[in-house]
């Protein structure tokens, strides 16, 4: 791997994780790890260009149909692809089809860039996702196999103790906080061959006293009312939180965002 390489462009594909939820900015938009990474890369390469095609809620089939053709035509130095996790959370998930679609995406994207970056997505500790964990881990094994077969990079966020900490996750329990996104950006930055800015990104946060029983019950009730029930409702009706939303940053344009 080249040390401190210079990349002139980045295209990010995926769902809410790559869109940047829940790293909320004052204007109501989302920043997220991909924006943070692009800002760092832009600081090293004048004229650096960045596109983010991610849309919350997208399934791997939608990513392949809507985002992959756009990305392959852009000719970027680096492409990041994170997808399939939303599929694993669906009650009727065909893992064979998910893996086939992910394979198709990697086969089409690999020749279209200098460096393809895949990820083992972070997983929050707690009971909500436990029933889906076997599917997630099956997906991540396939990601590793694809990376070996096609020479892609894999950023192992799933194996990072820090990102399993519930304190790294927003109150919806599905999206990382700003600190979580910062650590993901650092992980990808290092995987691309850059000198670390934070050598401890994977290290767990210092232990604190857990909230009491009453506080946990209040938080659980709020989570169920504001996030879990609406999420179940969308699953039952076939709707997505990203329906009708455009890509975050659809064009590969010069980027001067803040790290």
């Amino acid at each position: 791997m080249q040390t401190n390489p210079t990349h002139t462009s980045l295209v990010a594909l995926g769902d809410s994780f790559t869109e940047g939820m829940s790293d909320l900015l004052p204007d109501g938009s989302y920043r997220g790890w991909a924006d943070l990474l692009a800002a760092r890369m832009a600081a090293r390469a004048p004229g650096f260009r960045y596109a983010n095609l991610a849309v919350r809620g997208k399934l791997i089939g939608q990513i392949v149909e809507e985002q992959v053709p756009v990305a392959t035509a852009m000719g970027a130095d680096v492409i990041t692809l994170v997808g399939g996790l939303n599929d694993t959370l669906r009650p009727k998930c065909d893992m064979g089809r998910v893996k086939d679609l992910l394979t198709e995406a990697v086969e089409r994207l690999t020749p279209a860039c200098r460096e393809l970056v895949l990820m083992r997505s972070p997983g929050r500790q707690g009971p909500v996702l436990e029933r889906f964990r076997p599917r997630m881990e099956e997906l991540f094994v396939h990601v590793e196999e694809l990376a070996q077969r096609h020479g892609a990079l894999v950023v192992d966020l799933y194996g990072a103790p820090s990102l399993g900490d519930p304190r790294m996750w927003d109150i919806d329990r599905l999206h990382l906080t700003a600190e979580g996104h910062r650590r993901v950006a650092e992980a990808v930055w290092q995987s691309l061959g850059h000198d670390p800015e934070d050598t401890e990104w994977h290290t767990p946060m210092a232990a604190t006293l857990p909230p009491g029983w009453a506080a946990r019950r209040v938080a659980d009730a709020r989570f169920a009312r504001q996030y879990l029930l609406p999420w179940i409702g969308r699953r039952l009706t076939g709707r997505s939180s990203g329906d009708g939303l455009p890509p975050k940053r659809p064009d590969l344009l010069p980027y001067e965002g803040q790290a």
Side-chain angles (χ1 to χ4, degrees):
M1 182 184 299
Q2 182 182 354
T3 302
N4 289 318
T6 298
H7 297 111
T8 62
S9 52
L10 167 69
V11 177
L13 286 69
D15 50 37
S16 59
F17 173 69
T18 301
E19 184 183 345
M21 296 173 72
S22 292
D23 185 4
L24 193 63
L25 293 171
D27 65 359
S29 64
Y30 293 110
R31 182 176 53 179
W33 66 266
D35 284 15
L36 293 168
L37 176 66
R40 288 194 190 185
M41 297 170 79
R44 288 180 174 268
F48 179 85
R49 297 175 300 151
Y50 168 52
N52 190 323
L53 307 179
V55 178
R56 68 196 71 170
K58 290 299 182 181
L59 303 174
I60 186 61
Q62 294 169 309
I63 293 172
V64 170
E65 179 180 354
E66 300 166 10
Q67 299 179 26
V68 168
V70 178
T72 57
M74 287 180 168
D77 283 353
V78 178
I79 294 177
T80 66
L81 169 65
V82 187
L85 205 60
N86 281 334
D87 297 78
T88 69
L89 302 179
R90 299 293 175 111
K92 297 180 180 179
C93 173
D94 181 346
M95 286 302 299
R97 181 174 183 273
V98 170
K99 291 189 288 186
D100 286 346
L101 287 166
L102 188 60
T103 299
E104 178 184 346
V106 170
E107 290 176 345
R108 292 168 63 181
L109 291 170
T110 299
C113 63
R114 285 173 48 194
E115 195 78 75
L116 178 63
V117 179
L118 308 176
M119 298 187 198
R120 286 162 45 95
S121 304
R124 182 186 187 276
Q125 296 173 358
V128 175
L129 293 180
E130 284 307 311
R131 62 172 294 191
F132 304 108
R133 199 169 297 278
R135 290 179 183 171
M136 294 166 57
E137 294 182 348
E138 182 180 350
L139 178 69
F140 297 156
V141 168
H142 189 61
V143 167
E144 293 276 9
E145 293 171 348
L146 285 174
Q148 293 177 7
R149 194 181 312 154
H150 295 280
L153 292 176
V154 176
V155 183
D156 185 13
L157 305 173
Y158 187 69
S162 63
L163 295 177
D165 191 321
R167 292 172 294 176
M168 286 286 179
W169 296 77
D170 194 38
I171 58 175
D172 66 2
R173 305 183 184 182
L174 284 174
H175 301 108
L176 291 170
T177 62
E179 174 60 15
H181 280 284
R182 184 196 68 79
R183 294 189 184 218
V184 172
E186 178 67 32
V188 183
W189 175 255
Q190 292 183 29
S191 295
L192 286 170
H194 295 286
D195 291 335
E197 295 187 12
D198 176 10
T199 58
E200 303 297 325
W201 71 266
H202 58 283
T203 302
M205 298 171 64
T208 59
L209 289 175
W213 183 89
R216 294 199 303 273
R217 297 295 77 78
V218 169
D220 288 345
R222 180 185 179 191
F223 161 70
R225 182 177 64 255
Q226 295 186 3
Y227 300 103
L228 182 59
L229 292 177
W231 181 82
I232 292 173
R234 290 195 298 271
R235 299 292 79 76
L236 293 175
T237 57
R239 294 178 293 118
S240 167
S241 57
D243 288 347
L245 294 181
K248 178 178 182 177
R249 186 179 169 90
D251 300 311
L252 189 60
L253 297 173
Y255 187 68
E256 298 179 354
Q258 297 296 314

